């Protein structure tokens, strides 16, 4: 009986060795793992927008700033600019038609004030992108600005997996524009 148990154990060990080690991540020239492509399906939109909203509101709560709400008009402005950045193949705050973030939110029907905008060109998830924005003082300032009350968040993903993220914060019922740093 002991001999058959030993043989069974040895056979199992031999088979597990045949399975090989788990695949190792591909490393870049800097020795860090290369990013995996984060694919976004059309059905993920609401889940991703609310996950970003919840994450930002947690950061804002910790800093004493009021919570934000998603705004459909700001979402539309963010989606338009994310696609336009892809067309231009550069992350920047101006549209291919010369439009500014202020012009884009007005075109989308938003009557409040622009607080700021954050943009990104990456293969990373929305939460990894938020982490990068929070590490940069200028985008952190926009995200935690206590005058902001509404959020627009969208993206455009290219076939190769590259994602163009756009976050727009607004203050409803405030007209005009108070000069703010519109970080990238």
């Amino acid at each position: 009986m002991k001999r058959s148990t030993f043989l069974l154990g040895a056979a199992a060990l031999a088979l597990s060795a045949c399975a090989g080690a788990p695949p190792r991540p591909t490393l870049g020239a800097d020795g860090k793992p290369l990013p995996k492509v984060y694919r976004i399906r059309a059905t993920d939109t609401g889940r991703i927008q609310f996950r970003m909203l919840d994450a930002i509101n947690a950061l804002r709560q910790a800093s004493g700033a009021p919570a934000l709400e998603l705004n459909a008009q700001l979402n539309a402005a963010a989606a338009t600019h994310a696609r336009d950045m892809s067309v231009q193949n550069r992350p920047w705050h101006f549209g291919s038609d010369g439009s500014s973030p202020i012009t884009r939110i007005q075109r989308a029907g938003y009557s409040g004030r622009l607080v700021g905008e954050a943009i990104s060109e990456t293969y990373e998830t929305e939460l990894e992108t938020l982490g990068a924005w929070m590490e940069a003082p200028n985008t952190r300032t926009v995200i935690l600005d206590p005058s902001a009350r509404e959020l627009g968040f969208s993206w455009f993903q290219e076939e190769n997996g590259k994602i163009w993220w756009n976050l727009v914060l607004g203050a409803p019922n405030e007209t005009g524009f108070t000069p703010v740093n519109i970080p990238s």
Side-chain angles (χ1 to χ4, degrees):
M1 184 71 159
K2 288 185 181 180
R3 184 173 181 201
S4 63
T5 305
F6 174 74
L7 290 174
L8 216 58
L13 185 61
L15 285 174
S16 67
C18 291
R24 295 176 56 187
T26 306
L27 302 179
D30 60 0
K32 294 181 181 178
L34 293 174
K36 296 179 184 173
V37 175
Y38 176 58
R39 289 282 176 200
I40 301 173
R41 299 181 311 262
T43 57
D44 294 336
T45 300
R47 181 180 52 81
I48 290 172
Q49 286 176 325
F50 281 104
R51 186 167 46 220
M52 179 63 95
L53 177 67
D54 290 345
I56 288 174
N57 279 338
L59 294 167
R60 289 174 62 86
Q61 180 181 17
S63 74
L68 301 174
E69 293 182 12
L70 278 175
N71 177 282
Q73 294 153 330
L74 292 177
N75 283 341
T80 299
H81 190 56
R83 180 178 294 274
D84 191 43
M85 286 189 295
S86 171
V87 168
Q88 297 180 69
N89 196 33
R90 64 178 170 177
W92 76 321
H93 295 283
F94 296 94
S96 55
D97 61 355
S99 62
S100 70
I102 298 167
T103 305
R104 288 192 299 276
I105 67 170
Q106 289 171 342
R107 285 180 186 166
Y110 189 73
S111 59
R113 176 180 60 85
L114 173 72
V115 172
E117 177 179 64
I119 58 175
S120 180
E121 166 196 13
T122 185
Y123 292 90
E124 296 179 326
T125 69
E126 65 280 0
L127 296 181
E128 290 169 320
T129 301
L130 176 59
W133 285 336
M134 291 303 290
E135 289 178 11
N138 54 355
T139 48
R140 180 184 180 86
T141 299
V142 168
I143 291 167
L144 299 179
D145 188 314
S147 71
R149 296 291 188 278
E150 295 179 321
L151 166 79
F153 178 65
S154 195
W155 59 89
F156 178 76
Q157 186 166 34
E158 296 178 355
E159 288 293 319
N160 66 7
K162 183 189 293 185
I163 306 169
W164 300 84
W165 299 105
N166 187 243
L167 174 88
V168 183
L169 279 78
N173 304 321
E174 291 185 30
T175 57
F177 174 71
T178 302
V180 294
N181 179 13
I182 303 176
S184 47

